[in-house]
Amino acid sequence: MAERLVGADISPPDLRAKITGRARYAEDFRAPGMVFMKLLLSPMPHCRVRNVDTSRAMALPGVIDIMRASEVGEPSDRPSEEMLTDEPKYEGEPILAVAAVDEETAAAAIELIDLDLEPLPFVLDPLDSLRPGGPNAYVGGNQFSGQDGWTEYKWSQAEFDAIERGEMPNPLDMPVQWEKGDVDAAFAEADYILTEPVVHQSLTHHPMEPRSTMAYWENGRPFVYVSTQSAQRTKMSMAGALDVDPEEMTFVAEYCGGGFGSKIPGHTHMALAPRMSQKIGRPVMHRVTRYEENYIGRARPGFQSWVKMGFRADGKVTAIDLIIVQESGAYGASDYNSAANIADLAFTPENMRFRGVSMYTNTPPKAAQRGPGGAQIISMLEPLHDKGMREVGVDRLQGRFLNAPVEGATFGPRNSELTSIHAREALMEGAEAFDWETKIAMSGQREGSKVYGVGFGLSPFTAGSRGYDGLMVIRPDGRLYVYQGVGNLGTHSIADTVRPGAELLGLNWDQVEVIWGDSSRGMPRTSIQAGSQTTHAHTRANYAAAEDALRKIRLVASRRLGGSPNAYNVDNGVVSGPGGRMSFAQVAEAAIQMGGELDGSTLPDTISERETVPAAQRLAGQGLMGVATDNYGGSGSIYSWQSGFALIQLDHETGVVDILEYVGWADCGVVIHPRSLNAQQLGGSIQGMGMAMTQRWVFDSRYGVPFANRLYTARPPGFHDVPLQMTAGAVGIPDPQTPIGAKGIGEPSVGAGAAALNMAVMDAMGGNCLCRTPLTPDIILAELEGRPGPWNRLEQLVG
Amino acid sequence: MAELESVGVLEKKYSRRTFIKGVIATGATVSSASYIVPGPNGLRAATVQSSTERLITLRVNGQDRRVDVLPHETLAMTLRYKLNLTGTKLGCDRAECGACTVLIDGVNQYGCSILTHQVRGREVTTIEGLEDADTGELSVVQQAVMDEGGFQCAFCAPGFIMSMTAMVNQNPNVTREEARHALSGNLCRCADYDKILTCAMRAAELARSV
Ligand code: FES
Ligand code: FES
């Protein structure tokens, strides 16, 4: 019997390369005659380039060329990001690019460029832009629609007066609003109502690998080496950016040093190196520094919010009224919409009102960051929910259990359904692993100046999609070659999504070869690596291809050996049945001889003609081909759940928080790779802790300049910020709507980790909710000492 | 008026900064300050133009390597761009992340923050030098990472592995707590910390049994 592949800890096939220095990330590629490109970044948060004099720079020996915005995009007044711009919207936005023989010469040339800039008004904090007469991020206003162009959206003074009085504002006609149930009636009947302003900071992604790119052209064809989460999808967007036939391009993305949402289908500035290379006719390395990464590397949008929650005496949440003002940076973001949906899903209020506005600001661009919207809102609402439980006198954990959704729950303005929900199991199994009874008994206990706090969170996020293609070939060496279009972003999904299909074919893992990261080898139509959809989407796609391969193996065997195809079974690389047995090597040979659909000479018309067909055509005639589209269908959204439990100590003298223990528990269907699943849960949870406590998004509000622009100042968590030992596990109930039963898990953990920490800090402060992040010692101490902090309660950009 | 005020503020700021002369009125040299970090000796790119490379011999992974090096060139840059040893990564280029960690005479140091000229005559070990060149056998630390399935994106992995190597060489009886301290100069943005510590403990175990 071949080994079980699903549920086993099998290290990914790229691990050896990663730990011997052989793995090549984008900046590790070289090409003969390669030159370097550097960007000139805007020194102002909003300005217009009146004139650029490059003569002194061009005169510097070694400088090859300079590329301006007009060469890579059309000027437009839309809020759409271009690779280079003559009207920078944030400090650090690239204005032009210089190519030179080496990096230092390129940098020196940038020093020699004479810029004449016209400063323009700018705004950093969305509330400033909402004030009557407040500044706008764009010359034309602070809201844009294709229909109306630029407009101004302002709140009246009455809203700001209400905010001053500590009340929830009541703005009418917000750009996004929906309501379900009867919110006002539910509040009228509620036994307890809580109203709080909550601030969630924005924060930079800062993946470990900055977004460098190397590119060259040969015979009119581009070769590009990039850092991206996705592979096939990024290939398609790169081909679009370069205006070339995707099949004419060699696209290499073998490794990616993290993205967390900032490199989903590539990124805006990814096409600069190939464009420069095209211009100068030489290979170009665009090495992005950490400092540049801070600016062009994307950030999670922060929220300034008001939350009103109604509770019944038994602890049931009966109504939520939520306002979100989103700090959307220079080019917009949409986290607030998923935040509202997830608030409804996670707490099942039945009566819900959401009002939201996305505010352009002159800060670095925002993008999805691991659990976009969901992570922020869970981090913000769990402590408030907990506060509600304390007020109505219901056990904290039981109350959360009561408000968690069960099978059949619907959510959001369209009452969306889910394929499966095991939120309560994730909560209670996590609580058990955490030893809730013992830990909750420690809550509030003092040891010297330190007080124990216990917190938790229950966090959902999207976890799948349907309808992509799988592509694999069994070659005459008897091995299965699986062609992956998914990116290699550190989740191990390039390999793990292959396992159910390989298991169906009765193969041991050492009989399987995963091919990824190089478009010249063939990539089928693939999802983006975002929304935690890969595990679900591509276990299905690969399983569909494996079913196709199995059907063809049986066909070959029955033709060669006689008997009905269905009488043949596979195991250990051998097909056997009534007529005898054949090795997969023999099957592959036979398939090539028989041709037709068996070796991919003819292809099914269900697969993507634009993407999978060209990939399959490269491989036709090389062996027995399995190729198919995921037609398993299904209805409803696919979500996974993560619970997280934290025990902390808060030092009331220093404001320092020490996280002592953390447990994460997931509902993500069938577990494919336990060790990697646990790593995803804990890694994501730690990112959530960083979001809640260590990370910073701090600006000099006078000049519009970020202070937290490097790793040291932006402070992603380090070893000493996290517990010495952490635990994770999973519910393991299969999702009934996918043949494999597996869902993704990358994202919900961020909200769980952040919420657990936020709530634990609140607990260690006797139930006093700070209702803002980051929870820096300064902010905590000010609260503990009952003095006002040097910031406004609702201010963004402090930390 | 808020808008006008913010413009005025900018004007003041940029006319004050010494390296930008009269941006508003006349146009001037603007430093984007975006490029390579000047390096510990504080040289700026514009001034390094005049500096010249010198041919030196480095001892890297047990071999003598002849290489032309600028006076202010960092070891990480020499390794990556002159010796093609790209296993040493640059995560920050400024002593903030540890992705560039190499061993100098067995001690883990940030390759981005040490000048190449400073390591002449010293033994430099990079991630590429850990495997046995003849047999392909992995070092105990690498083997431990294989055993435990360490790292996610692994951009931090070479740096961590070098720090772990120094750690287990120094103390194969290291505790989990001590290992955390020994590795705290390395950052993992995927936050695979729990598994990295498990790898470290496995590495120490393997080191003890050699
Ligand atoms: S690159 Fe040297 S410490 Fe980050
Ligand atoms: S594994 Fe990605 S930074 Fe460590």
Side-chain angles (χ1 to χ4, degrees):
Chain A
M1 269 288 278
E3 61 190 326
R4 282 306 306 254
L5 302 179
V6 172
D9 282 329
I10 304 172
S11 291
D14 62 349
L15 184 57
R16 192 172 171 119
K18 282 171 166 171
I19 63 171
T20 51
R22 286 196 198 97
R24 286 200 290 176
Y25 297 75
E27 200 212 311
D28 301 336
F29 288 94
R30 305 284 178 264
M34 184 176 92
V35 301
F36 288 80
M37 185 178 85
K38 295 300 290 177
L39 303 177
L40 191 163
L41 306 186
S42 171
M44 297 184 187
H46 191 190
C47 59
R48 207 173 272 135
V49 177
R50 274 196 293 241
N51 190 40
V52 178
D53 181 352
T54 59
S55 55
R56 290 196 302 145
M58 285 304 293
L60 190 69
V63 172
I64 298 166
D65 215 334
I66 289 173
M67 200 158 71
R68 294 289 311 278
S70 55
E71 299 171 66
V72 289
E74 300 288 318
S76 123
D77 76 337
R78 290 175 163 258
S80 62
E81 187 180 24
E82 300 290 342
M83 288 180 261
L84 301 169
T85 181
D86 281 338
E87 194 190 321
K89 310 291 189 313
Y90 62 95
E91 198 227 23
E93 180 154 26
I95 292 175
L96 56 77
V98 177
V101 290
D102 58 42
E103 200 175 5
E104 298 199 6
T105 304
I110 282 176
E111 294 273 7
L112 295 176
I113 288 172
D114 297 317
L115 270 186
D116 179 3
L117 303 176
E118 176 195 353
L120 295 171
F122 70 92
V123 65
L124 305 172
D125 191 314
L127 287 188
D128 291 342
S129 191
L130 271 181
R131 277 182 196 282
N136 298 324
Y138 280 75
V139 173
N142 60 12
Q143 298 292 311
F144 182 86
S145 78
Q147 217 178 346
D148 305 331
W150 283 105
T151 51
E152 270 197 338
Y153 177 74
K154 305 283 176 191
W155 281 357
S156 69
Q157 190 53 45
E159 310 314 333
F160 286 91
D161 292 343
I163 294 169
E164 281 297 310
R165 293 193 301 271
E167 294 167 11
M168 183 163 178
N170 189 23
L172 302 173
D173 60 33
M174 286 191 70
V176 174
Q177 44 190 34
W178 55 264
E179 184 165 348
K180 61 195 259 189
D182 189 337
V183 176
D184 293 328
F187 279 123
E189 284 169 23
D191 295 303
Y192 172 68
I193 295 172
L194 152 172
T195 309
E196 285 282 353
V198 189
V199 175
H200 192 292
Q201 66 169 342
S202 301
L203 61 151
T204 315
H205 291 64
H206 277 312
M208 206 63 173
E209 180 203 14
R211 54 205 58 228
S212 299
T213 306
M214 199 277 280
Y216 58 90
W217 294 69
E218 256 175 32
N219 300 325
R221 299 172 55 167
F223 293 72
V224 291
Y225 301 78
V226 307
S227 176
T228 177
Q229 292 172 227
S230 317
Q232 172 65 7
R233 292 263 64 76
T234 308
K235 174 186 119 184
M236 299 306 282
S237 57
M238 176 66 97
L242 300 180
D243 197 18
V244 296
D245 175 352
E247 299 311 312
E248 292 287 296
M249 175 176 64
T250 297
F251 175 87
V252 177
E254 290 174 6
Y255 294 88
C256 171
F260 315 118
S262 71
K263 304 171 181 170
I264 295 174
H267 46 88
T268 312
H269 303 96
M270 183 179 72
L272 270 171
R275 292 295 285 269
M276 179 65 97
S277 171
Q278 190 174 26
K279 183 176 183 193
I280 66 176
R282 294 180 70 169
V284 170
M285 166 64 75
H286 179 206
R287 188 178 82 84
V288 172
T289 65
R290 177 57 52 189
Y291 184 81
E292 291 162 332
E293 182 70 17
N294 172 71
Y295 292 108
I296 63 175
R298 314 293 102 168
R300 182 192 292 278
F303 294 164
Q304 287 146 310
S305 280
W306 289 264
V307 181
K308 188 172 170 186
M309 259 177 157
F311 298 85
R312 220 164 49 200
D314 65 355
K316 182 77 199 80
V317 174
T318 53
I320 294 179
D321 190 0
L322 174 66
I323 294 176
I324 296 179
V325 177
Q326 176 177 275
E327 199 266 288
S328 303
Y331 296 108
S334 61
D335 285 35
Y336 63 141
N337 288 318
S338 63
N341 285 346
I342 283 177
D344 190 25
L345 172 60
F347 299 96
T348 59
E350 280 166 26
N351 304 290
M352 168 134 183
R353 181 188 298 135
F354 170 60
R355 287 170 283 179
V357 61
S358 168
M359 299 296 293
Y360 291 106
T361 55
N362 299 101
T363 66
K366 302 300 180 294
Q369 185 179 114
R370 204 166 180 178
Q376 292 100 308
I377 202 71
I378 293 296
S379 156
M380 290 157 59
L381 292 188
E382 286 286 8
L384 294 182
H385 176 272
D386 204 57
K387 192 172 175 183
M389 292 308 113
R390 290 162 193 263
E391 294 293 337
V392 295
V394 169
D395 177 85
R396 296 167 59 190
L397 183 62
Q398 287 307 324
R400 191 64 190 89
F401 180 87
L402 176 70
N403 287 311
V406 293
E407 262 339 307
T410 62
F411 69 104
R414 281 182 288 280
N415 288 319
S416 309
E417 293 176 353
L418 294 179
T419 56
S420 63
I421 311 178
H422 301 288
R424 287 182 164 181
E425 289 89 335
L427 182 72
M428 297 321 267
E429 289 179 29
E432 195 180 328
F434 181 64
D435 190 4
W436 173 261
E437 295 301 331
T438 308
K439 300 293 156 50
I440 199 66
M442 296 165 77
S443 155
Q445 291 201 8
R446 216 170 234 278
E447 270 175 15
S449 60
K450 294 180 178 172
V451 177
Y452 283 104
V454 173
F456 61 95
L458 180 60
S459 173
F461 208 74
T462 60
S465 59
R466 310 176 177 99
Y468 296 97
D469 293 346
L471 176 62
M472 49 186 64
V473 177
I474 296 169
R475 294 203 173 152
D477 61 5
R479 295 161 62 75
L480 175 73
Y481 293 77
V482 182
Y483 294 82
Q484 287 278 53
V486 304
N488 190 15
L489 65 166
T491 59
H492 307 160
S493 53
I494 53 157
D496 293 347
T497 59
V498 172
R499 293 199 210 175
E503 199 173 271
L504 179 75
L505 293 173
L507 290 167
N508 293 307
W509 192 240
D510 62 5
Q511 296 167 304
V512 180
E513 203 74 56
V514 180
I515 315 290
W516 83 94
D518 181 344
S519 70
S520 66
R521 305 189 67 186
M523 292 176 177
R525 180 166 175 271
T526 306
S527 70
I528 46 169
Q529 273 56 74
S532 304
Q533 53 187 309
T534 314
T535 296
H536 178 270
H538 288 282
T539 50
R540 288 163 63 108
N542 285 321
Y543 198 78
E547 285 193 322
D548 184 53
L550 180 59
R551 181 181 62 81
K552 290 170 179 169
I553 292 167
R554 287 173 163 158
L555 215 56
V556 169
S558 85
R559 281 201 208 158
R560 277 285 148 95
L561 305 172
S564 143
N566 286 338
Y568 283 87
N569 289 314
V570 291
D571 192 29
N572 264 326
V574 171
V575 56
S576 54
R581 44 194 280 137
M582 284 175 86
S583 69
F584 276 16
Q586 293 167 319
V587 170
E589 290 281 8
I592 294 169
Q593 283 162 17
M594 293 175 190
E597 66 156 352
L598 296 173
D599 72 345
S601 296
T602 59
L603 295 167
D605 51 16
T606 46
I607 59 173
S608 160
E609 198 175 329
R610 177 145 187 259
E611 301 183 44
T612 311
V613 166
Q617 281 170 343
R618 284 170 200 263
L619 303 166
Q622 297 186 15
L624 182 137
M625 182 181 288
V627 58
T629 298
D630 157 15
N631 277 326
Y632 299 114
S635 65
S637 304
I638 303 133
Y639 274 64
S640 283
W641 293 80
Q642 174 81 52
S643 70
F645 293 80
L647 174 71
I648 65 144
Q649 265 186 334
L650 168 64
D651 189 325
H652 279 238
E653 267 170 21
T654 61
V656 171
V657 173
D658 196 4
I659 308 167
L660 304 173
E661 281 183 43
Y662 184 81
V663 170
W665 217 263
D667 159 35
C668 57
V670 162
V671 176
I672 307 244
H673 185 173
R675 196 158 58 192
S676 190
L677 165 64
N678 292 354
Q680 284 297 313
Q681 295 188 58
L682 298 179
S685 296
I686 293 172
Q687 289 189 345
M689 295 170 193
M691 182 171 101
M693 198 167 70
T694 69
Q695 283 201 250
R696 305 279 193 280
W697 177 261
V698 186
F699 277 71
D700 178 329
S701 53
R702 209 164 148 77
Y703 300 119
V705 175
F707 287 142
N709 50 19
R710 302 193 53 90
L711 292 176
Y712 180 67
T713 42
R715 289 270 292 126
F719 251 125
H720 285 296
D721 296 311
V722 301
L724 195 56
Q725 202 132 28
M726 302 169 79
T727 308
V731 173
I733 302 174
D735 184 284
Q737 290 203 30
T738 173
I740 296 92
K743 299 185 282 189
I745 195 57
E747 294 173 90
S749 48
V750 180
L757 180 53
N758 277 341
M759 192 197 289
V761 170
M762 176 178 113
D763 191 37
M765 295 175 67
N768 178 12
C769 184
L770 277 173
C771 296
R772 68 170 298 132
T773 58
L775 293 170
T776 62
D778 276 357
I779 289 175
I780 291 175
L781 266 191
E783 186 76 16
L784 284 172
E785 292 167 2
R787 60 179 161 85
W791 58 86
N792 179 315
R793 172 80 194 270
L794 279 163
E795 209 172 319
Q796 271 277 7
L797 323 168
V798 296
Chain B
M1 182 75 201
E3 297 194 2
L4 290 179
E5 197 184 325
S6 73
V7 172
V9 159
L10 278 182
E11 283 179 349
K12 258 185 245 152
K13 176 194 173 193
Y14 293 103
S15 54
R16 267 209 326 270
R17 279 166 69 167
T18 50
F19 62 93
I20 306 169
K21 300 176 193 79
V23 164
I24 311 303
T26 63
T29 302
V30 169
S31 171
S32 77
S34 62
Y35 32 81
I36 44 177
V37 172
N41 58 358
L43 281 174
R44 293 202 73 92
T47 63
V48 303
Q49 281 292 302
S50 55
S51 58
T52 49
E53 291 184 332
R54 263 179 66 193
L55 183 65
I56 61 170
T57 302
L58 294 179
R59 183 97 186 137
V60 182
N61 297 333
Q63 287 184 317
D64 285 332
R65 303 284 303 262
R66 303 272 285 161
V67 58
D68 285 314
V69 175
L70 290 162
H72 60 280
E73 190 169 309
T74 65
L75 180 57
M77 279 295 179
T78 307
L79 292 170
R80 290 184 51 76
Y81 283 96
K82 303 228 168 122
L83 300 177
N84 205 24
L85 293 168
T86 55
T88 300
K89 302 302 180 205
L90 286 171
C92 69
D93 217 354
R94 205 195 244 185
E96 296 179 326
C97 74
C100 61
T101 305
V102 295
L103 302 186
I104 312 290
D105 292 335
V107 177
N108 48 325
Q109 295 208 29
Y110 293 153
C112 71
S113 302
I114 186 162
L115 294 181
T116 307
H117 280 280
Q118 290 176 300
V119 303
R120 291 165 74 178
R122 301 171 72 185
E123 200 73 47
V124 178
T125 311
T126 71
I127 187 79
E128 290 92 344
L130 294 186
E131 238 175 328
D132 187 304
D134 299 324
T135 64
E137 194 188 334
L138 295 176
S139 74
V140 289
V141 173
Q142 289 170 318
Q143 190 55 52
V145 175
M146 285 300 278
D147 293 349
E148 298 295 339
F151 301 103
Q152 295 179 31
C153 79
F155 198 75
C156 67
F160 265 106
I161 289 171
M162 299 319 286
S163 291
M164 269 188 219
T165 302
M167 179 189 80
V168 298
N169 284 346
Q170 208 185 15
N171 177 16
N173 296 308
V174 66
T175 64
R176 207 172 160 98
E177 175 83 61
E178 288 164 347
R180 162 161 79 166
H181 192 69
L183 301 175
S184 60
N186 293 72
L187 210 58
C188 175
R189 184 58 174 130
C190 300
D192 207 23
Y193 293 122
D194 194 67
K195 189 141 53 67
I196 292 170
L197 272 191
T198 304
C199 292
M201 298 318 291
R202 172 82 183 138
E205 189 186 321
L206 290 179
R208 287 195 298 273
S209 64
V210 180

